[in-house]
């Protein structure tokens, strides 16, 4: 009966909850593989240690040790989250049967087990070149490196990744988003900010020179990171300009901006000029970083902005966070469910009503209605969405998490 009452309350404001549930379940969310194993990947390097890139803090029990365990964790997560999902892979999650294979020599065959799993699970795949965690990333520079030989290696890797994405797209009969993020930058006061950015333009132009069907390329900006606090080559301004001029997707990661800055206000500007955007739901914590997504104001406002602009279909939604200090499956489920909640919450917003009040100059009434909308019975509609998707309702999934930790993760 709770849902019936909630449906009536929303109907009074002109909102069709049944339609909102159907639409919210249809929006694909691409779930990243790197939460399962702390961004380690499964490569075998020859002639040097891994270097440069990303640090995941914590050592909670149960880290996936191989690709089969990542896929096992994926299966568990998918059983606990509602809606349509995709799986997002990094190139470093190639399976090479214990043999060292250069990243510039990877092919779609090294991801065949992922493709087979995706087809069996009914999950399409996305892809990412891995420009970190490699001996040739030791200086913190890759595509903008001053050494032309190192730069050429990473260009070849970017090209190889595009062909892998195209192979994945062909196998699954639809596009594969191929997202480029690089760690390039300086810890403190570079004397030359121009040279690396010029080289980065040249590198991307070489990578993207060939038209490859099925591969949808994106480029991702960042404010700063560990080892690149002062200067990031691939800044927001750089990629916003590059993506628009080269007609590739622009990726906005919610964790890649200053904690007091949100991407919600940027959407109505960027989507005046970009056909689509790739969104990574993530969360900054005091600095630009990738914490587990929560159903907070920042997340709600992103999807509210998209739905109020009738632009939800122009956003490609993916996750990007990693936390090794808590149960990794729990981190996944919290983040995926929070993102789906954000989508549903936006679709339940009485946007037509508040926009009409604003257009009529009834600004106090508009503001009052926005406030009242915050306490509408959203939870009852969310529970109904989970029931319709045949996944645990409310906190029931937590007991399944406990059982999985005891029976599977604790043995790793």
């Amino acid at each position: 009966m709770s849902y019936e009452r909630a449906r009536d309350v929303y109907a009074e404001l002109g909102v069709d909850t049944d339609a909102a549930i159907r639409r919210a379940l249809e929006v694909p969310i691409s779930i990243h593989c790197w939460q399962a194993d702390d961004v380690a990947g499964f490569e075998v390097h020859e002639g040097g240690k891994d270097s440069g890139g990303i640090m995941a803090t914590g050592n909670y029990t149960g880290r996936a040790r191989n690709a089969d365990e990542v896929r096992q964790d994926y299966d568990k997560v998918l059983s606990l989250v509602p809606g349509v999902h995709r799986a997002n892979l990094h190139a470093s999650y190639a399976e090479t049967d214990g043999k060292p294979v250069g990243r510039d020599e990877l092919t779609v065959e090294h991801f065949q087990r992922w493709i087979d799993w995706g087809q069996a699970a009914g999950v399409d795949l996305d892809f990412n070149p891995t420009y970190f965690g490699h001996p040739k990333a030791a200086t913190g520079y890759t595509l903008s490196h001053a050494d032309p030989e190192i730069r050429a290696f990473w260009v070849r890797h970017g090209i190889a990744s595009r062909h892998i994405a195209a192979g994945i797209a062909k196998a699954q009969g639809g596009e594969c988003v191929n997202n480029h993020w690089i760690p390039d930058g300086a810890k403190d006061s570079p004397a030359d900010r121009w040279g690396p950015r010029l080289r980065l333009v040249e590198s991307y132009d070489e990578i993207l020179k060939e038209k490859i069907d099925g591969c949808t390329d994106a480029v991702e900006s960042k404010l700063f990171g560990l080892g690149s606090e002062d200067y990031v080559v691939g800044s927001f301004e750089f990629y916003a300009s590059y993506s628009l001029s080269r007609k590739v997707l622009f990726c906005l990661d919610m964790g890649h901006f200053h904690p007091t800055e949100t991407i919600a206000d940027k959407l109505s500007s960027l989507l005046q000029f970009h056909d689509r955007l790739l969104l990574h739901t993530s969360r900054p914590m005091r600095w630009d970083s990738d914490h587990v997504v929560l159903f907070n104001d920042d997340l709600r406002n992103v999807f509210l902005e998209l739905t109020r602009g009738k632009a939800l279909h122009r956003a490609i939604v993916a996750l990007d966070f990693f936390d090794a200090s808590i149960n990794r499956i729990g981190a996944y489920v919290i983040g995926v469910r929070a993102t789906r909640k954000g989508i549903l919450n936006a679709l339940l917003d009485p946007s037509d009503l508040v926009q009409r009040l604003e257009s009529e100059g009834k600004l106090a009434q508009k503001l009052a209605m926005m406030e009242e909308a915050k306490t509408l019975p959203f939870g009852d509609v969310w529970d109904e969405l989970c029931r319709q998707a045949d996944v645990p309702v409310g906190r029931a999934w937590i007991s399944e998490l406990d059982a999985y930790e005891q029976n599977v993760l604790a043995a790793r």
Side-chain angles (χ1 to χ4, degrees), residues 49 51 134-142 145 149-150 153-154 156:
K49 292 183 178 181
S51 182
H134 190 279
K136 285 186 169 61
T139 64
Y141 287 85
T142 59
H145 203 289
E149 291 187 7
I150 292 179
F153 169 83
W154 290 113
R156 291 194 301 273

Side-chain angles (χ1 to χ4, degrees), residues 352-363 366:
D352 290 343
L353 174 58
V354 296
Q355 288 175 341
R356 177 173 60 79
L357 290 171
E358 183 171 80
S359 69
E360 294 173 354
K362 298 178 179 180
L363 302 186
K366 174 209 67 176

Side-chain angles (χ1 to χ4, degrees), residues 301-360:
N301 288 337
V302 164
F303 289 108
L304 268 174
E305 194 64 31
L306 288 169
T307 57
R308 286 176 176 170
K310 306 294 189 290
L312 184 58
H313 65 289
R314 298 172 63 189
I316 299 170
V317 182
L319 307 181
D320 188 358
F321 57 82
F322 37 93
D323 189 342
S325 69
I326 63 176
N327 183 297
R328 295 168 184 82
I329 311 303
Y332 266 134
V333 178
I334 291 167
V336 177
R337 287 171 75 107
T339 301
R340 187 74 65 191
K341 286 177 183 177
I343 294 168
L344 176 65
N345 178 73
L347 291 166
L348 291 172
D349 184 70
S351 296
D352 290 343
L353 174 58
V354 296
Q355 288 175 341
R356 177 173 60 79
L357 290 171
E358 183 171 80
S359 69
E360 294 173 354

Side-chain angles (χ1 to χ4, degrees), residues 163-211:
H163 284 282
I164 292 166
I168 292 171
K170 183 178 180 181
Q172 62 196 20
E175 75 174 344
C176 175
V177 176
N178 183 47
N179 183 51
H180 301 258
W181 174 83
I182 62 171
D184 298 33
K187 183 179 179 66
D188 202 2
S189 301
D192 178 16
R193 295 173 181 266
W194 293 73
R197 286 178 172 148
L198 175 60
R199 292 191 290 270
L200 185 55
V201 169
E202 293 172 346
S203 293
Y204 274 127
D205 283 351
E206 182 66 23
I207 289 170
L208 299 169
K209 183 169 59 177
E210 180 185 0
K211 185 181 186 305

